Amino acid sequence: MHIVVLTKPVPDPVAAAERLGPDNRLDRAASPAVVNGNDEYALEAALKLVDALGGEVSLLTMAPAGGTDTMRKALAMGAARGVIVTDEVLAGSDTWSTTQVLAAALGQLTFDLVLAGVDTSDGVGGVVPAGIAALLRLPYLGNAAKIEPDPDSGTVRVRRLTTSGYDLLEAPMPALVVCTQALGEPRYPSLKGIMAARSKEIVTRSLADIGLDASAIGGASALTVVKATKRPPAREATKVVRGTPDEGAAAIVELLAARKVI
Amino acid sequence: MAVIWVIAEPNGDGTLARISAEAATLARGLAEASGGSATGLAVAADAKGIAAELAAYLPKVIAVSDAGASGHSWAAVAAERAASVIGEGSDAVVLIGAGPDGRDVAGALSALTGLGVLANATEVSWSDDGPTAETAAFGGKLLTTSQFVGGSGIVTVRPNTTEAATATTAGAVEEIKADAEPVLPRVRIVEQVAEAGAAAPIEEARVIVSGGRGVGGPEGFALVEEIASVLGGAVGATRAAVDSGWIPYAQQIGQTGKIVKPELYLALGISGAIQHKVGMQTAGTIVAVNRDPDAPIAEFADLLVVGDLFEVGPALVTALRARAG
Ligand SMILES: Cc1cc2nc3c(=O)[nH]c(=O)nc-3n(C[C@H](O)[C@H](O)[C@H](O)COP(=O)(O)OP(=O)(O)OC[C@H]3O[C@@H](n4cnc5c(N)ncnc54)[C@H](O)[C@@H]3O)c2cc1C
Ligand SMILES: Nc1ncnc2c1ncn2[C@@H]1O[C@H](COP(=O)(O)O)[C@@H](O)[C@H]1O
């Protein structure tokens, strides 16, 4: 079983130190990065599958040159190797460009499954994986809460969460699956894993390497543009009520009535 | 002149999802502002029914019936049929919901047509350069105003962006049979399983009452549910509560759960960790009940009641019932 997991370095949501460039886009080089939280669920799911079925997990990332540091953290969890597509023109890419790049890079790899996260904590688009599947004509299985590949029949079954329960989907492999948190908690890298990650292979590819024309992709070709950014208005100071339960309840009712919620 | 398209998303039972009625109402407004037209697009095994529902909101709806849409994952079928109706590299603006189905369609449609995507709009207006979308980045820490280069593209729209309102007269439904050989693989649905306890989607709720680790267990959620029902709201939760198995993952709010923007968010026994905060901090009013006056939620709630939720909660139910008479 060969699984490629799409992992994106994102600014650390806990550090809250995102920096913007002059074009209102994230200055990725200046913002401390971590592996996108949702991609860790996808990676965990992939590792569990190869633990059970044998095979190998590799990572695919589109990121600035510094992306190798973040990728080492994902390699420490247990992935075998990684590919980073990096190119100057990719700074400021929109989801369309990202989709083209990841699809082209996947086209050069062999895999049974591609796993991706539900969305990214920086952009929260959640549209890239479906686009990749469409470009590569891969079966697309979204919102997965359970993934069961059957190497003998060459098919994969996925529980896709719906508003009322789940749909059990089945498709031939290779296929692309989008992973939810319901698949299970990501593991912490072991000390051994962290040591091993240092010598794991990370291959860097340029746009030319994956056969894309740098004049038609990336920041300068973005189909969307950020016109302005602003901080959300500050919330008013918190009112703190201590007292009996009845006094607490009365304070809540009073506020809800004043705001016409009730 | 721009054509503003709205893609009809089905509920589990095939009826029109509320998000699509909202998107259609928004599209009508944009068409008026731009001098263009608003057209709906419904893809289903038999699309007449859902198209007729959408036509209550729009002057015209195209119904594409594709037998393959039943028994197969809907989004890939819908994206492909929408791409052929809307056309490649067209000057279209497409509105669709920002939930799982809408995102799947938007991603595939973008890849098939070359249209860009503005994701998770909380507001869409019209300017000389086409649609302008307001979105939040980095978990609501930054608000952005974005446009399409060239004015056309796909906007995924969050629930509650617009209040759904039908048009004064219902629109016309034009039927198209889809017989072109599909190019995207169709993923078979082996079985559809309804799970007990599956609740209304929390993204659409006006009031959300959420429970965290402090609720202590599934029995504690009975109190959360009671308060929610008195307020006519939905039940949400933190990851700690979901991971403990007290409530389904579908109710989780936060970075790896749902992002919600209700009028009222009532947090019971929730510390307000950053990963939870990013899912609810844009709520109109935030009220917290917590034993710990120094919990992080004290920094961004409008009102913090310091106390035991098992004492304040029942008192609140009594007070709300007394008020309702
Ligand atoms: C990558 C990643 C993604 C994450 N995604 C999410 C996410 O999507 N959503 C999410 O919620 N979390 C998420 N988390 C987890 C998050 O960091 C917190 O651990 C979680 O939100 C804590 O939940 P809690 O507030 O219920 O529990 P706690 O932090 O344990 O807080 C419980 C609170 O209840 C109070 N309390 C206890 N008993 C009572 C009582 N009887 N009466 C009143 N108050 C009481 C306590 O004072 C305390 O403040 C994520 C974490 C990571 C690393
Ligand atoms: N630059 C990237 N490199 C690798 N994977 C990515 C990248 N961007 C998006 N993805 C994958 O696509 C998923 C959804 O991303 P998005 O559509 O950007 O919210 C992520 O969780 C990743 O798995």
Side-chain angles (χ1 to χ4, degrees), chain B residues 139-195:
Chain B
K141 272 176 283 183
L142 198 68
L143 305 178
T144 59
T145 305
S146 307
Q147 292 180 337
F148 295 110
V149 176
S152 61
I154 305 162
V155 187
T156 67
V157 182
R158 278 214 182 283
N160 298 336
T161 295
T162 313
E163 200 174 321
T166 53
T168 34
T169 51
V173 174
E174 181 185 317
E175 287 186 68
I176 297 185
K177 261 237 152 43
D179 29 27
E181 223 9 67
V183 293
L184 297 188
R186 299 192 158 183
V187 173
R188 194 164 69 89
I189 302 176
V190 179
E191 195 185 356
Q192 288 189 304
V193 180
E195 283 191 325

Short mmCIF file of all heavy atoms in Angstrom, two decimals, chain B residues 139-195:
data_model
loop_
_atom_site.label_atom_id
_atom_site.label_comp_id
_atom_site.label_asym_id
_atom_site.label_seq_id
_atom_site.Cartn_x
_atom_site.Cartn_y
_atom_site.Cartn_z
N GLY B 139 -8.51 31.89 11.36
CA GLY B 139 -9.46 31.66 12.43
C GLY B 139 -10.12 32.93 12.93
O GLY B 139 -10.32 33.08 14.14
N GLY B 140 -10.42 33.85 12.02
CA GLY B 140 -11.16 35.04 12.41
C GLY B 140 -10.29 36.16 12.95
O GLY B 140 -10.80 37.21 13.34
N LYS B 141 -8.96 35.96 12.96
CA LYS B 141 -8.10 37.01 13.49
C LYS B 141 -7.96 38.15 12.50
O LYS B 141 -7.52 39.24 12.84
CB LYS B 141 -6.72 36.43 13.83
CG LYS B 141 -6.67 35.88 15.24
CD LYS B 141 -5.35 35.22 15.53
CE LYS B 141 -5.29 33.86 14.87
NZ LYS B 141 -4.11 33.09 15.12
N LEU B 142 -8.28 37.87 11.24
CA LEU B 142 -8.13 38.87 10.19
C LEU B 142 -9.34 38.79 9.27
O LEU B 142 -9.77 37.70 8.91
CB LEU B 142 -6.86 38.55 9.41
CG LEU B 142 -6.29 39.66 8.56
CD1 LEU B 142 -5.77 40.77 9.46
CD2 LEU B 142 -5.16 39.12 7.70
N LEU B 143 -9.90 39.93 8.91
CA LEU B 143 -11.00 39.95 7.96
C LEU B 143 -10.46 40.43 6.62
O LEU B 143 -9.71 41.40 6.56
CB LEU B 143 -12.11 40.89 8.44
CG LEU B 143 -12.63 40.58 9.85
CD1 LEU B 143 -13.69 41.59 10.27
CD2 LEU B 143 -13.20 39.16 9.90
N THR B 144 -10.81 39.74 5.56
CA THR B 144 -10.27 40.13 4.25
C THR B 144 -11.41 40.46 3.30
O THR B 144 -12.50 39.90 3.38
CB THR B 144 -9.44 38.99 3.63
OG1 THR B 144 -10.27 37.85 3.49
CG2 THR B 144 -8.25 38.62 4.49
N THR B 145 -11.13 41.40 2.39
CA THR B 145 -12.05 41.75 1.33
C THR B 145 -11.39 41.31 0.03
O THR B 145 -10.29 41.76 -0.27
CB THR B 145 -12.28 43.27 1.31
OG1 THR B 145 -12.72 43.66 2.61
CG2 THR B 145 -13.32 43.67 0.28
N SER B 146 -12.04 40.40 -0.69
CA SER B 146 -11.39 39.82 -1.87
C SER B 146 -12.27 39.91 -3.11
O SER B 146 -13.49 40.01 -3.01
CB SER B 146 -11.04 38.35 -1.64
OG SER B 146 -10.30 38.20 -0.46
N GLN B 147 -11.60 39.87 -4.27
CA GLN B 147 -12.31 39.88 -5.55
C GLN B 147 -11.67 38.87 -6.49
O GLN B 147 -10.59 38.36 -6.22
CB GLN B 147 -12.22 41.28 -6.17
CG GLN B 147 -13.00 42.32 -5.40
CD GLN B 147 -12.91 43.69 -6.03
OE1 GLN B 147 -11.97 43.98 -6.77
NE2 GLN B 147 -13.88 44.53 -5.73
N PHE B 148 -12.33 38.64 -7.63
CA PHE B 148 -11.73 37.82 -8.67
C PHE B 148 -10.99 38.72 -9.63
O PHE B 148 -11.46 39.80 -9.99
CB PHE B 148 -12.82 37.08 -9.44
CG PHE B 148 -13.56 36.07 -8.61
CD1 PHE B 148 -14.88 36.29 -8.26
CD2 PHE B 148 -12.93 34.92 -8.18
CE1 PHE B 148 -15.57 35.37 -7.49
CE2 PHE B 148 -13.61 34.00 -7.40
CZ PHE B 148 -14.93 34.22 -7.06
N VAL B 149 -9.83 38.25 -10.08
CA VAL B 149 -9.14 38.95 -11.16
C VAL B 149 -9.98 38.67 -12.41
O VAL B 149 -10.19 37.53 -12.77
CB VAL B 149 -7.71 38.36 -11.35
CG1 VAL B 149 -7.02 39.01 -12.54
CG2 VAL B 149 -6.91 38.53 -10.08
N GLY B 150 -10.52 39.70 -13.03
CA GLY B 150 -11.37 39.47 -14.20
C GLY B 150 -12.84 39.34 -13.85
O GLY B 150 -13.68 39.22 -14.74
N GLY B 151 -13.16 39.37 -12.56
CA GLY B 151 -14.57 39.50 -12.18
C GLY B 151 -15.41 38.23 -12.14
O GLY B 151 -16.54 38.26 -11.70
N SER B 152 -14.86 37.08 -12.61
CA SER B 152 -15.69 35.88 -12.57
C SER B 152 -15.03 34.80 -11.73
O SER B 152 -13.81 34.74 -11.63
CB SER B 152 -15.96 35.36 -13.98
OG SER B 152 -14.74 35.02 -14.60
N GLY B 153 -15.85 33.94 -11.14
CA GLY B 153 -15.31 32.87 -10.31
C GLY B 153 -16.39 32.25 -9.44
O GLY B 153 -17.58 32.55 -9.59
N ILE B 154 -15.94 31.39 -8.54
CA ILE B 154 -16.84 30.63 -7.68
C ILE B 154 -16.72 31.14 -6.24
O ILE B 154 -15.62 31.26 -5.73
CB ILE B 154 -16.47 29.13 -7.70
CG1 ILE B 154 -16.44 28.61 -9.14
CG2 ILE B 154 -17.41 28.31 -6.83
CD1 ILE B 154 -15.69 27.30 -9.32
N VAL B 155 -17.86 31.45 -5.62
CA VAL B 155 -17.83 31.89 -4.22
C VAL B 155 -18.51 30.82 -3.37
O VAL B 155 -19.65 30.45 -3.65
CB VAL B 155 -18.60 33.22 -4.03
CG1 VAL B 155 -18.42 33.74 -2.60
CG2 VAL B 155 -18.14 34.26 -5.04
N THR B 156 -17.82 30.29 -2.34
CA THR B 156 -18.53 29.44 -1.39
C THR B 156 -19.03 30.34 -0.25
O THR B 156 -18.30 31.18 0.26
CB THR B 156 -17.69 28.26 -0.86
OG1 THR B 156 -16.62 28.75 -0.04
CG2 THR B 156 -17.12 27.43 -1.99
N VAL B 157 -20.30 30.15 0.08
CA VAL B 157 -21.00 31.07 0.97
C VAL B 157 -21.35 30.38 2.28
O VAL B 157 -21.89 29.28 2.28
CB VAL B 157 -22.30 31.57 0.29
CG1 VAL B 157 -23.02 32.57 1.16
CG2 VAL B 157 -22.00 32.16 -1.08
N ARG B 158 -21.04 31.04 3.39
CA ARG B 158 -21.36 30.47 4.70
C ARG B 158 -22.85 30.56 4.99
O ARG B 158 -23.52 31.48 4.52
CB ARG B 158 -20.63 31.26 5.79
CG ARG B 158 -19.23 30.84 5.96
CD ARG B 158 -18.86 30.97 7.44
NE ARG B 158 -17.47 30.61 7.61
CZ ARG B 158 -17.03 29.37 7.62
NH1 ARG B 158 -17.86 28.36 7.45
NH2 ARG B 158 -15.77 29.12 7.79
N PRO B 159 -23.34 29.62 5.81
CA PRO B 159 -24.74 29.73 6.24
C PRO B 159 -24.99 31.06 6.94
O PRO B 159 -24.06 31.65 7.51
CB PRO B 159 -24.90 28.58 7.23
CG PRO B 159 -23.79 27.63 6.93
CD PRO B 159 -22.67 28.44 6.38
N ASN B 160 -26.24 31.53 6.90
CA ASN B 160 -26.67 32.76 7.58
C ASN B 160 -26.05 34.03 7.01
O ASN B 160 -26.03 35.06 7.67
CB ASN B 160 -26.39 32.70 9.08
CG ASN B 160 -27.14 31.59 9.76
OD1 ASN B 160 -28.19 31.15 9.25
ND2 ASN B 160 -26.64 31.11 10.88
N THR B 161 -25.50 33.96 5.78
CA THR B 161 -24.96 35.16 5.14
C THR B 161 -26.12 36.05 4.69
O THR B 161 -26.05 37.27 4.74
CB THR B 161 -24.08 34.76 3.94
OG1 THR B 161 -22.96 34.05 4.45
CG2 THR B 161 -23.61 35.96 3.16
N THR B 162 -27.20 35.42 4.23
CA THR B 162 -28.37 36.12 3.74
C THR B 162 -29.59 35.40 4.30
O THR B 162 -29.55 34.20 4.49
CB THR B 162 -28.47 36.00 2.19
OG1 THR B 162 -27.20 36.28 1.63
CG2 THR B 162 -29.52 36.92 1.61
N GLU B 163 -30.65 36.14 4.56
CA GLU B 163 -31.88 35.48 4.98
C GLU B 163 -32.66 35.07 3.75
O GLU B 163 -32.93 35.92 2.88
CB GLU B 163 -32.70 36.42 5.86
CG GLU B 163 -33.70 35.66 6.70
CD GLU B 163 -34.43 36.57 7.68
OE1 GLU B 163 -33.77 37.47 8.24
OE2 GLU B 163 -35.64 36.39 7.84
N ALA B 164 -32.98 33.79 3.63
CA ALA B 164 -33.67 33.31 2.44
C ALA B 164 -35.04 33.98 2.30
O ALA B 164 -35.79 34.06 3.26
CB ALA B 164 -33.83 31.79 2.49
N ALA B 165 -35.33 34.49 1.09
CA ALA B 165 -36.64 35.10 0.82
C ALA B 165 -37.04 34.75 -0.60
O ALA B 165 -36.25 34.94 -1.54
CB ALA B 165 -36.56 36.62 1.00
N THR B 166 -38.23 34.21 -0.75
CA THR B 166 -38.67 33.83 -2.10
C THR B 166 -38.92 35.07 -2.94
O THR B 166 -39.15 36.16 -2.42
CB THR B 166 -39.96 32.99 -2.05
OG1 THR B 166 -40.93 33.73 -1.30
CG2 THR B 166 -39.73 31.64 -1.38
N ALA B 167 -38.86 34.90 -4.27
CA ALA B 167 -39.15 35.99 -5.20
C ALA B 167 -40.66 36.19 -5.27
O ALA B 167 -41.42 35.31 -4.88
CB ALA B 167 -38.59 35.66 -6.58
N THR B 168 -41.11 37.35 -5.78
CA THR B 168 -42.55 37.59 -5.83
C THR B 168 -43.25 36.61 -6.78
O THR B 168 -44.35 36.17 -6.51
CB THR B 168 -42.85 39.04 -6.28
OG1 THR B 168 -41.86 39.43 -7.21
CG2 THR B 168 -42.86 39.99 -5.09
N THR B 169 -42.56 36.26 -7.87
CA THR B 169 -43.12 35.22 -8.74
C THR B 169 -42.10 34.12 -8.93
O THR B 169 -40.90 34.40 -9.01
CB THR B 169 -43.49 35.79 -10.14
OG1 THR B 169 -42.35 36.49 -10.63
CG2 THR B 169 -44.66 36.72 -10.09
N ALA B 170 -42.58 32.89 -9.02
CA ALA B 170 -41.66 31.76 -9.20
C ALA B 170 -41.09 31.78 -10.61
O ALA B 170 -41.74 32.21 -11.56
CB ALA B 170 -42.39 30.45 -8.93
N GLY B 171 -39.87 31.30 -10.74
CA GLY B 171 -39.19 31.31 -12.03
C GLY B 171 -39.53 30.10 -12.89
O GLY B 171 -40.24 29.19 -12.45
N ALA B 172 -38.97 30.11 -14.09
CA ALA B 172 -39.20 29.02 -15.03
C ALA B 172 -38.13 27.94 -14.86
O ALA B 172 -36.99 28.25 -14.57
CB ALA B 172 -39.17 29.55 -16.46
N VAL B 173 -38.54 26.68 -15.03
CA VAL B 173 -37.58 25.57 -14.98
C VAL B 173 -37.36 25.07 -16.40
O VAL B 173 -38.31 24.75 -17.11
CB VAL B 173 -38.10 24.43 -14.08
CG1 VAL B 173 -37.16 23.23 -14.16
CG2 VAL B 173 -38.25 24.91 -12.64
N GLU B 174 -36.11 25.02 -16.77
CA GLU B 174 -35.77 24.51 -18.11
C GLU B 174 -35.05 23.17 -17.93
O GLU B 174 -34.07 23.08 -17.21
CB GLU B 174 -34.84 25.53 -18.79
CG GLU B 174 -34.42 25.17 -20.20
CD GLU B 174 -33.41 26.19 -20.72
OE1 GLU B 174 -33.65 27.41 -20.49
OE2 GLU B 174 -32.40 25.78 -21.30
N GLU B 175 -35.57 22.15 -18.57
CA GLU B 175 -34.99 20.81 -18.34
C GLU B 175 -33.96 20.43 -19.39
O GLU B 175 -34.16 20.66 -20.59
CB GLU B 175 -36.11 19.77 -18.33
CG GLU B 175 -36.95 19.84 -17.07
CD GLU B 175 -37.94 18.71 -17.01
OE1 GLU B 175 -37.50 17.56 -16.85
OE2 GLU B 175 -39.16 18.98 -17.15
N ILE B 176 -32.88 19.85 -18.92
CA ILE B 176 -31.83 19.36 -19.82
C ILE B 176 -31.54 17.92 -19.43
O ILE B 176 -31.42 17.61 -18.25
CB ILE B 176 -30.53 20.19 -19.67
CG1 ILE B 176 -30.75 21.64 -20.08
CG2 ILE B 176 -29.41 19.57 -20.48
CD1 ILE B 176 -29.46 22.44 -20.04
N LYS B 177 -31.43 17.06 -20.41
CA LYS B 177 -31.00 15.67 -20.12
C LYS B 177 -29.49 15.62 -20.29
O LYS B 177 -28.95 16.12 -21.27
CB LYS B 177 -31.65 14.72 -21.14
CG LYS B 177 -32.88 14.02 -20.61
CD LYS B 177 -32.73 12.51 -20.70
CE LYS B 177 -33.54 11.80 -19.64
NZ LYS B 177 -34.90 12.36 -19.45
N ALA B 178 -28.83 15.03 -19.32
CA ALA B 178 -27.38 14.91 -19.42
C ALA B 178 -27.06 13.56 -20.03
O ALA B 178 -27.28 12.54 -19.40
CB ALA B 178 -26.74 15.04 -18.06
N ASP B 179 -26.59 13.53 -21.28
CA ASP B 179 -26.23 12.22 -21.80
C ASP B 179 -24.76 12.10 -22.21
O ASP B 179 -24.32 11.03 -22.57
CB ASP B 179 -27.17 11.76 -22.92
CG ASP B 179 -27.74 12.93 -23.69
OD1 ASP B 179 -27.07 13.97 -23.71
OD2 ASP B 179 -28.86 12.81 -24.24
N ALA B 180 -24.00 13.22 -22.09
CA ALA B 180 -22.57 13.13 -22.41
C ALA B 180 -21.92 12.12 -21.47
O ALA B 180 -22.26 12.06 -20.29
CB ALA B 180 -21.92 14.49 -22.28
N GLU B 181 -21.03 11.33 -22.01
CA GLU B 181 -20.27 10.35 -21.21
C GLU B 181 -19.54 11.08 -20.09
O GLU B 181 -18.84 12.05 -20.34
CB GLU B 181 -19.24 9.72 -22.15
CG GLU B 181 -18.98 8.23 -22.16
CD GLU B 181 -19.89 7.34 -21.37
OE1 GLU B 181 -21.10 7.21 -21.74
OE2 GLU B 181 -19.40 6.76 -20.40
N PRO B 182 -19.71 10.64 -18.84
CA PRO B 182 -19.00 11.33 -17.75
C PRO B 182 -17.48 11.16 -17.86
O PRO B 182 -17.02 10.10 -18.27
CB PRO B 182 -19.51 10.65 -16.48
CG PRO B 182 -20.26 9.45 -16.92
CD PRO B 182 -20.56 9.56 -18.36
N VAL B 183 -16.74 12.21 -17.51
CA VAL B 183 -15.28 12.09 -17.51
C VAL B 183 -14.74 11.89 -16.10
O VAL B 183 -13.68 11.30 -15.91
CB VAL B 183 -14.57 13.31 -18.16
CG1 VAL B 183 -14.87 13.36 -19.65
CG2 VAL B 183 -14.93 14.60 -17.48
N LEU B 184 -15.48 12.37 -15.08
CA LEU B 184 -15.00 12.16 -13.71
C LEU B 184 -15.49 10.80 -13.21
O LEU B 184 -16.65 10.44 -13.45
CB LEU B 184 -15.51 13.26 -12.77
CG LEU B 184 -15.05 14.68 -13.06
CD1 LEU B 184 -15.50 15.60 -11.94
CD2 LEU B 184 -13.53 14.75 -13.24
N PRO B 185 -14.62 10.07 -12.50
CA PRO B 185 -15.07 8.78 -11.97
C PRO B 185 -16.24 8.98 -11.01
O PRO B 185 -16.26 9.95 -10.26
CB PRO B 185 -13.85 8.26 -11.21
CG PRO B 185 -12.73 9.16 -11.50
CD PRO B 185 -13.25 10.40 -12.13
N ARG B 186 -17.21 8.08 -11.07
CA ARG B 186 -18.35 8.18 -10.16
C ARG B 186 -18.16 7.18 -9.03
O ARG B 186 -17.83 6.03 -9.27
CB ARG B 186 -19.63 7.90 -10.94
CG ARG B 186 -19.77 8.96 -12.03
CD ARG B 186 -21.10 8.99 -12.69
NE ARG B 186 -21.27 10.31 -13.27
CZ ARG B 186 -22.37 10.72 -13.89
NH1 ARG B 186 -23.38 9.88 -14.01
NH2 ARG B 186 -22.44 11.93 -14.35
N VAL B 187 -18.36 7.70 -7.83
CA VAL B 187 -18.08 6.88 -6.66
C VAL B 187 -19.39 6.31 -6.13
O VAL B 187 -20.32 7.06 -5.79
CB VAL B 187 -17.35 7.70 -5.58
CG1 VAL B 187 -17.22 6.90 -4.29
CG2 VAL B 187 -15.98 8.14 -6.09
N ARG B 188 -19.46 4.99 -6.08
CA ARG B 188 -20.70 4.29 -5.74
C ARG B 188 -21.02 4.42 -4.25
O ARG B 188 -20.15 4.30 -3.41
CB ARG B 188 -20.52 2.80 -6.08
CG ARG B 188 -21.79 1.99 -6.10
CD ARG B 188 -21.54 0.67 -6.81
NE ARG B 188 -20.67 -0.21 -6.04
CZ ARG B 188 -21.11 -1.09 -5.14
NH1 ARG B 188 -22.40 -1.18 -4.87
NH2 ARG B 188 -20.28 -1.87 -4.49
N ILE B 189 -22.29 4.67 -3.95
CA ILE B 189 -22.75 4.64 -2.56
C ILE B 189 -23.28 3.24 -2.30
O ILE B 189 -24.28 2.82 -2.88
CB ILE B 189 -23.87 5.67 -2.30
CG1 ILE B 189 -23.37 7.09 -2.64
CG2 ILE B 189 -24.34 5.61 -0.85
CD1 ILE B 189 -24.42 8.17 -2.50
N VAL B 190 -22.57 2.50 -1.44
CA VAL B 190 -22.95 1.12 -1.16
C VAL B 190 -24.16 1.11 -0.22
O VAL B 190 -25.05 0.28 -0.35
CB VAL B 190 -21.76 0.37 -0.51
CG1 VAL B 190 -22.14 -1.07 -0.18
CG2 VAL B 190 -20.55 0.42 -1.42
N GLU B 191 -24.16 2.06 0.70
CA GLU B 191 -25.18 2.06 1.74
C GLU B 191 -25.29 3.46 2.33
O GLU B 191 -24.28 4.16 2.46
CB GLU B 191 -24.72 1.08 2.83
CG GLU B 191 -25.78 0.67 3.81
CD GLU B 191 -25.20 -0.20 4.93
OE1 GLU B 191 -23.99 -0.52 4.88
OE2 GLU B 191 -25.96 -0.52 5.84
N GLN B 192 -26.51 3.88 2.67
CA GLN B 192 -26.70 5.15 3.37
C GLN B 192 -27.18 4.84 4.77
O GLN B 192 -28.19 4.17 4.94
CB GLN B 192 -27.70 6.03 2.65
CG GLN B 192 -27.11 6.58 1.35
CD GLN B 192 -27.98 7.62 0.70
OE1 GLN B 192 -29.14 7.34 0.43
NE2 GLN B 192 -27.43 8.79 0.43
N VAL B 193 -26.44 5.30 5.77
CA VAL B 193 -26.75 4.93 7.13
C VAL B 193 -27.16 6.17 7.94
O VAL B 193 -26.43 7.16 7.97
CB VAL B 193 -25.54 4.24 7.80
CG1 VAL B 193 -25.86 3.85 9.23
CG2 VAL B 193 -25.10 3.04 6.98
N ALA B 194 -28.34 6.11 8.53
CA ALA B 194 -28.78 7.19 9.41
C ALA B 194 -28.36 6.85 10.81
O ALA B 194 -28.52 5.71 11.24
CB ALA B 194 -30.29 7.35 9.32
N GLU B 195 -27.79 7.79 11.52
CA GLU B 195 -27.36 7.51 12.88
C GLU B 195 -28.23 8.24 13.86
O GLU B 195 -28.58 9.40 13.67
CB GLU B 195 -25.88 7.89 13.06
CG GLU B 195 -24.98 6.86 12.44
CD GLU B 195 -23.52 7.03 12.81
OE1 GLU B 195 -23.09 8.19 12.94
OE2 GLU B 195 -22.82 6.02 12.95
#
